[in-house]
Every structure is written in structure tokens, then in C-alpha cells.
Amino acid sequence: MKLIIHGGFFSESSTNSETKVAKQKALERIIKDSYVFLKTHSAVATVVYAVSLLEDDELFNAGIGSQIQSDGKIRMSAAVMDGATQKMSGVINIEEVKNPVQVAQMLMEYDDRVLGGSGATDFAREKGFGVFSTEIPQRRAEYEAKLKSMGTGTVGCVAVDSNGAIAAATSTGGKGFEIPGRISDSATVAGNYANAFCGVSLTGVGEDIVSNATAAKIVTRVTDGFTLQEAFTKAFNELKPYDGFAGAIAIDNQGNMLHQDSHPTMVFASFDGDKFEVFK
């Protein structure tokens, strides 16, 4: 059993040592709690659990910490993929839901597994997800002052459970100040992908990640016989011609865990029951 999570990149808080320490502590708490959960749950349930904890922490740009778009509203996206069944489900631009990843998980049981906008929000309400204001004062202050962030905030988790099943989940509050209706990578196979061989979750600039189809490329190459490191190296080299901004976490079916970013600094943590690692 292994687990790796990410909390996006540093943006407005990159020089704030107090924030850095707080994020390190939060990631350590979340990954260790999630590993305990993994001991008695599937990979799919665990990635949703871990991402929900990240959504519940305003330090990260997802759930209650989400960025505000150019029209003053918060819209979020999230996805879950089960490597064993090859089912992916997601929500795009959902509003006033505390845990979009949980709505995404619920959609795995439906034929229509990716919903957007008001359809996603209406589905959440029908399934008992009440209205929840995700706005926090810090995000409103940033919006009012037009302090645009780097647009690199997303959270994610990849897990392998005791049966060797792999799953990935990703959630984002957007890049901030975007045009309403903009689609991020998080609820696409470019940003979140898993099969029986590998699982990957991305963070960074969504447009760069989609242009490179990064998560799907990495997983496909591992499936075709690349080592995880080889697949990462090739995919990240393909970002270089346009200076693509991305960070990725992954676990393969051999138990190898890997994280890499094209620009500093992706926030991540990993744990395998013995060894714990967090970003420095």
C-alpha cells in the first residue's frame, strides 16, 4: 500500500515561510490520516478521502480554498479514476459545493459520468450536497486587489491499495480571474488518469497540461513498457518547447512512486507505511 498527494504549486505564498511550514504540516497530517484509511479501504475510496481533506483545508486551492473567477464567482472541478475498472468521472465548474471530488465519485455509478456547470451543481443538490459557500476572506482580498496568482493550484492523490488496485483523484479551484466557463485539466484525462499499470495526478497551468495530454501519456507509456521514470522524462521533455508549467505525482503497479515538476515548487507528500517524504 502506497500513497502520494500534491497540493499544487506555491504562488502568492511562495516567500512566506509560515505558510510553507503550515503546508508541510498539513500535508503530513493528511497523508498519514489517509494511509490509515487506506488500510481498510480501496484505492478509489482513499483518493477521494485524501482529496476531500485537501479540499477542506483553505491553504490549498480546491474546495474551501478555491480561487475566484473574473466575474466574482467560484467554480471548481474534480475527477476520480479507478484504474481497475477504467472508469473516470468528474465535475467541471461546479458551484457552492464543499467537496467536488465526492460528487465526482458519486457519478461513477452513472452512465453520464462527467457533468459541467449548472448540471453538475444541480446533480449535487439532488444527491444531498447542500449549498456551501467556499469563499474565504483571503481569496476575496486577492480578487478585490486584482492580485492574480500564478494559476497553478490544484490538489490530488494517487493510491495503490492492499489488492494492488490503483486510483487517482484531482480537484481544483481554478487559476483565479479566469474567463467564466474556462475548463481546467483536472477533470480530463490530461490531468487525472489511471489504469491497472499506473495512476497520475497533475497540477500546474491547465492549458499546458491539456496541450501535452500529460497524465494519459505517462500512464500509456508505462502500460507499453516504459519505466515510470522514463515515462515522466519523456512527457516532461515534451513540455519544454512551449515552457509548459506542470507538476505530477504517480504510482505504478510495481510500487514505484514519483513526483516531478517543470518549474519550482510543487507541494507534495508521500508515504508507504514506513518512509514519509514532504516537499522542502
Side-chain angles (χ1 to χ4, degrees):
M1 296 183 296
K2 293 190 178 183
L3 193 65
I4 187 168
I5 60 177
H6 70 72
F9 282 81
F10 273 147
S11 53
E12 73 281 357
S13 61
S14 60
T15 59
N16 187 328
S17 60
E18 290 184 2
T19 300
K20 179 177 180 179
V21 171
K23 286 187 174 182
Q24 288 171 328
K25 290 181 178 179
L27 289 172
E28 180 175 0
R29 169 182 54 81
I30 289 168
I31 199 163
K32 289 184 176 179
D33 286 351
S34 299
Y35 190 84
V36 171
F37 186 90
L38 177 60
K39 290 179 178 180
T40 55
H41 293 81
S42 69
V44 172
T46 301
V47 296
V48 172
Y49 177 80
V51 170
S52 294
L53 294 180
L54 288 159
E55 289 175 335
D56 290 344
D57 194 319
E58 64 184 46
L59 285 169
F60 304 105
N61 179 21
I64 68 171
S66 295
Q67 295 279 4
I68 300 173
Q69 297 189 353
S70 60
D71 62 351
K73 294 184 178 181
I74 292 172
R75 299 177 180 89
M76 301 160 287
S77 298
V80 183
M81 188 158 186
D82 182 348
T85 64
Q86 287 283 270
K87 283 187 176 182
M88 179 172 173
S89 57
V91 291
I92 298 171
N93 288 329
I94 195 169
E95 296 183 41
E96 295 187 314
V97 170
K98 184 182 180 184
N99 297 111
V101 73
Q102 294 177 17
V103 184
Q105 181 189 29
M106 188 168 286
L107 280 164
M108 296 191 91
E109 304 304 318
Y110 290 78
D111 291 333
D112 303 325
R113 294 199 297 271
V114 181
L115 299 181
S118 60
T121 304
D122 290 345
F123 175 84
R125 299 287 179 261
E126 291 171 6
K127 298 304 176 183
F129 291 84
V131 177
F132 187 93
S133 176
T134 54
E135 183 177 312
I136 59 173
Q138 177 186 339
R139 298 306 189 204
R140 176 55 60 177
E142 292 165 2
Y143 175 80
E144 297 293 347
K146 296 184 178 180
L147 296 176
K148 188 171 183 179
S149 76
M150 291 169 61
T152 51
T154 302
V155 302
C157 178
V158 181
V160 57
D161 62 27
S162 58
N163 294 316
I166 298 170
T170 308
S171 181
T172 185
K175 66 180 183 179
F177 304 94
E178 61 265 64
I179 298 171
R182 178 250 183 188
I183 305 299
S184 78
D185 66 289
S186 297
T188 75
V189 297
N192 188 88
Y193 199 68
N195 66 9
F197 294 86
C198 183
V200 180
S201 174
L202 268 290
T203 182
V205 175
E207 287 72 10
D208 293 350
I209 293 166
V210 168
S211 294
N212 190 43
T214 311
K217 277 184 174 180
I218 292 172
V219 173
T220 299
R221 285 166 177 161
V222 171
T223 303
D224 290 343
F226 280 54
T227 66
L228 188 58
Q229 182 62 71
E230 289 170 344
F232 261 64
T233 298
K234 188 168 180 62
F236 274 83
N237 281 340
E238 290 165 343
L239 288 164
K240 291 180 179 178
Y242 55 96
D243 195 29
F245 201 125
I249 57 173
I251 305 178
D252 67 17
N253 62 355
Q254 303 301 308
N256 298 305
M257 287 192 291
L258 196 61
H259 58 85
Q260 185 171 334
D261 47 32
S262 61
H263 295 68
T265 300
M266 182 178 65
V267 175
F268 77 92
S270 63
F271 190 57
D272 63 5
D274 295 313
K275 182 182 178 183
F276 166 73
E277 183 180 6
V278 69
F279 79 102
K280 302 298 183 183

